């Protein structure tokens, strides 16, 4: 197995993975994955269905054993020290993990006892988390009567019973409505504010941008890109120049004139009529200078001009060859496929 030494692990690394491999028959679900997650941050693992995201989480949470490579989480080797590791991690998967026949309070109390908390501490912890996740009024109701958002909050509360230092969130908002999704995001942000390190797997661009400080993009079991979101956008190359003429009447004529410039590499100019901008795709600083020069030469008064990097969805498309999912795209069949891999 690949070894992680002091130089590669990093003093502030909550999760360090080197060369992780996992096979399912002929399928290579993980193909030499490297990953570094800094303490107190959210690492977003972004990828399509079947990319290996859930397999990675299952390896790092000791649910399955990798075939090769090494992973150190919170100072523990996931293969050699699984019992110690389980005491400092939490996991919320794609589906509710609580017992629907039990009330919310009993679910949390039972998990606390399974984690060897003394009875008094398990009771206090259940009360504390129900209050924190706004579930106190429903504490004695069977979980089967909870709404989807309440169940997801109870799942998050369950994952926090043992006060984990590292929390795995495996597509935690799949199938949730926008309001509930925002509630989950708020809770995740609060956890990180308390010092918890989060490894978040997701297919959703908006979720990644809302929560993650850094991203790792996986596809077919391999890491194909990684870094801060803005860094990934810059790697794709290409920016959009937004030019807003002071006179709205000049909007479409300006777009036509810029299209006729014939600047090498300049893609089709478009118009954002709602904002009153001409959008000019550019690939280099030389093109940027040429466009600005052309506008100035024509005596067009500009009220604003700015550049913007590609969207995260455009980055994903460039890296993987296909778009990531939106919350509406996720289906039970797709989710089952990811679990299988």
């Amino acid at each position: 197995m690949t070894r992680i030494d002091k130089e590669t692990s990093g003093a502030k690394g909550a999760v360090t993975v080197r060369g992780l491999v996992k096979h399912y028959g002929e399928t290579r679900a993980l193909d030499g994955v490297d990953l570094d997650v800094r303490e107190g941050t959210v690492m977003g693992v972004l990828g399509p269905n079947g990319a290996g995201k859930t397999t990675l989480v299952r390896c790092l949470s000791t649910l399955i054993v990798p075939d090769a490579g090494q992973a150190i989480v919170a100072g523990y080797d996931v293969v050699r020290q699984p019992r110690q590791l389980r005491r400092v991690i939490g996991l919320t998967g794609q589906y509710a993990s609580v017992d629907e026949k039990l009330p919310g309070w009993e679910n949390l109390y039972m998990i606390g006892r399974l984690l060897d908390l003394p009875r008094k501490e398990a009771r206090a912890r259940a009360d504390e988390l129900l209050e924190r996740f706004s579930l106190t009024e429903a504490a004695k109701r069977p979980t089967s009567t909870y709404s989807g958002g309440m169940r997801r909050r109870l799942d998050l509360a369950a994952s926090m019973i043992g006060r984990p230092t590292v929390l795995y969130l495996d597509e935690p908002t799949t199938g949730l409505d926008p309001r509930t999704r925002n509630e989950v995001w708020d809770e995740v942000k609060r956890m990180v504010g308390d010092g918890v390190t989060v490894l978040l797997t997701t297919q959703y661009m908006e979720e990644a941008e809302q929560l993650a400080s850094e991203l790792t993009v996986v596809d077919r079991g391999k890491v194909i890109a990684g870094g801060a979101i803005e860094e990934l956008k810059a790697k794709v190359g290409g920016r959009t120049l937004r030019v807003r003429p002071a006179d709205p009447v000049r909007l479409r004529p300006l777009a036509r004139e810029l299209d006729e410039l014939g600047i090498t590499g300049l893609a089709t100019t478009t118009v954002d009529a709602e904002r009153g901008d001409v959008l000019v795709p550019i690939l280099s600083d030389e093109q940027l200078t040429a466009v600005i020069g052309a506008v100035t030469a024509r005596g067009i008064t500009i009220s604003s001009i700015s550049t913007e990097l590609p969207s995260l969805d455009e980055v994903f498309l460039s890296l993987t060859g296909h778009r990531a999912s939106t919350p509406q795209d996720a289906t039970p069949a797709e989710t089952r496929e990811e679990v299988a891999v």
Side-chain angles (χ1 to χ4, degrees):
M1 280 190 156
T2 301
R3 306 306 302 171
I4 299 175
D5 57 31
K6 293 181 179 178
E7 291 185 1
T8 60
S9 62
K12 293 296 182 181
V15 180
T16 305
V17 178
R18 293 292 180 270
L20 211 63
V21 174
K22 182 62 182 179
H23 295 89
Y24 292 108
E26 297 298 319
T27 302
R28 200 173 177 92
L30 297 178
D31 192 5
V33 170
D34 292 342
L35 184 68
D36 291 285
V37 186
R38 294 179 292 113
E39 290 181 1
T41 66
V42 179
M43 168 63 78
V45 179
L46 189 65
N49 282 309
K53 303 186 301 296
T54 293
T55 297
L56 176 62
V57 169
R58 294 176 74 187
C59 286
L60 297 181
S61 56
T62 76
L63 294 176
I64 58 176
V65 179
D67 297 320
Q70 189 185 26
I72 302 296
V73 177
Y76 298 108
D77 187 294
V78 299
V79 175
R80 296 162 55 196
Q81 300 169 295
R83 296 182 67 179
Q84 297 95 317
L85 176 59
R86 289 170 192 148
R87 295 182 177 276
V88 296
I89 61 174
L91 170 63
T92 295
Q94 299 170 28
Y95 300 104
S97 59
V98 295
D99 188 330
E100 293 193 353
K101 296 180 181 179
L102 294 178
W105 187 91
E106 290 189 26
N107 265 293
L108 299 186
Y109 174 77
M110 177 183 66
I111 293 171
R113 294 294 290 146
L114 289 172
L115 291 173
D116 294 330
L117 295 183
R119 286 185 175 85
K120 183 176 180 180
E121 185 177 350
R123 292 191 190 99
R125 188 66 174 149
D127 290 339
E128 174 189 345
L129 288 169
L130 285 169
E131 182 176 357
R132 172 172 176 172
F133 286 88
S134 303
L135 293 169
T136 301
E137 292 184 3
K140 300 300 176 67
R141 283 169 41 194
T143 306
S144 59
T145 67
Y146 286 16
S147 68
M150 292 169 69
R151 292 189 198 186
R152 182 50 76 194
R153 294 205 304 276
L154 185 62
D155 261 344
L156 287 169
S159 70
M160 296 296 291
I161 283 285
R163 293 185 171 84
T165 57
V166 177
L167 177 64
Y168 304 119
L169 300 179
D170 188 18
E171 303 199 20
T173 61
T174 295
L176 297 183
D177 61 83
R179 177 180 176 181
T180 304
R181 196 163 57 247
N182 287 333
E183 290 175 355
V184 172
W185 290 348
D186 288 342
E187 291 300 339
V188 173
K189 291 173 184 176
R190 184 158 62 168
M191 291 175 189
V192 176
D194 290 341
V196 177
T197 301
V198 175
L199 180 69
L200 167 77
T201 75
T202 184
Q203 301 178 63
Y204 305 153
M205 298 295 109
E206 185 182 5
E207 186 159 82
E209 293 205 270
Q210 278 283 332
L211 298 177
S213 51
E214 293 184 86
L215 288 179
T216 294
V217 183
V218 296
D219 197 22
R220 297 180 177 88
K222 292 179 177 289
V223 173
I224 59 174
I229 291 176
E230 293 305 312
E231 291 174 357
L232 289 177
K233 290 180 178 180
K235 285 181 182 178
V236 172
R239 291 168 288 170
T240 298
L241 179 65
R242 282 186 171 270
V243 182
R244 182 174 301 170
D247 184 358
V249 175
R250 298 299 304 270
L251 186 64
R252 296 190 184 280
L254 175 60
R256 286 195 298 270
E257 290 175 22
L258 292 177
D259 243 353
E260 294 169 358
L261 285 177
I263 299 173
T264 302
L266 187 62
T268 303
T269 300
T270 56
V271 170
D272 182 347
E274 184 175 346
R275 293 176 58 177
D277 294 342
V278 176
L279 308 183
V280 189
I282 54 175
L283 298 175
S284 66
D285 291 340
E286 289 74 16
Q287 289 177 6
L288 171 63
T289 302
V291 171
I292 294 175
V295 171
T296 303
R298 284 161 174 74
I300 300 173
T301 303
I302 299 300
S303 63
S304 70
I305 187 167
S306 63
T307 60
E308 58 186 33
L309 290 170
S311 69
L312 190 54
D313 190 56
E314 291 168 331
V315 172
F316 190 86
L317 175 63
S318 174
L319 293 171
T320 67
H322 46 79
R323 293 193 178 277
S325 298
T326 62
Q328 293 80 6
D329 293 335
T331 66
E334 288 176 328
T335 306
R336 284 195 297 271
E337 176 188 357
E338 173 62 29
V339 172
V341 174

